Structures are given as structure tokens and as C-alpha cells.
Amino acid sequence: MPGLIRGVARTAVVAGTATAVSNRVTRRQQGRWAEQQSYEALPAQPAHQAEPPAAPAASDMTSKIEQLKQLGELKSQGVLTEAEFEEQKRTILGS
């Protein structure tokens, strides 16, 4: 009987771990697909069209802070790896 309980417990642990890993992979893939679709959905600007005027610095900083908060949430959810988070953070901060 103890061997049976040990085997059932081991199976439960393995199944739980596999489910957790599978869910994390699925979330990461969905996040990447959503990001990829958002890039594809952006309309291409003609070469002759001028850039829009720059927004005031205060609203620009607020926008950057919001983007960084969203990145942090994605990282804490496991959607982004540490390297992906750092890359996106550098892109947002422009450094």
C-alpha cells in the first residue's frame, strides 16, 4: 500500500509540473503572437509623409512609465523572460 501511495503522489507531482510548464509555454506563445500581430497591424507610413510633431515631455514620460509597468506585469506573469524584459525596457527608454 505505501508503494502505491508513493507512486500516485509522484504521478500527481509530475502531472502538476507538466501542466504548469505547458501553461507557461502557452502564455508566452500567445504573448509573442499578439505582439507579432500588433506589429503587422500597424499601417506603413509612406516615405514622403512627415513625422507627427513630438508630444510634450511630461506626457512622453507618463507613457514610458505606463509601458514599463505593463512590461513588469508581463514579466511577473511569466510571459517575458528577463532578457526579453531588458530588451524591451532599453527600447522604451531609448538607451
Side-chain angles (χ1 to χ4, degrees):
M1 213 44 177
L4 177 63
I5 293 173
R6 188 177 309 133
V8 170
R10 181 178 296 136
T11 301
V13 169
V14 169
T17 303
T19 301
V21 169
S22 174
N23 289 341
R24 181 170 183 226
V25 168
T26 301
R27 282 194 313 267
R28 287 180 72 189
Q29 285 177 339
Q30 288 173 345
R32 287 180 181 162
W33 290 337
E35 183 179 318
Q36 197 173 41
Q37 288 174 350
S38 68
Y39 286 131
E40 291 171 358
L42 293 175
Q45 289 186 347
H48 67 279
Q49 186 176 5
E51 291 290 321
S59 66
D60 186 45
M61 184 55 76
T62 304
S63 171
K64 287 181 181 182
I65 290 171
E66 288 300 318
Q67 289 176 343
L68 289 172
K69 284 180 183 178
Q70 291 174 350
L71 276 178
E73 290 173 11
L74 289 173
K75 180 183 168 213
S76 67
Q77 293 171 359
V79 176
L80 293 176
T81 65
E82 182 69 31
E84 292 168 332
F85 172 77
E86 290 298 325
E87 178 183 336
Q88 292 298 320
K89 186 172 81 171
R90 278 192 300 274
T91 302
I92 291 170
L93 295 176
S95 53

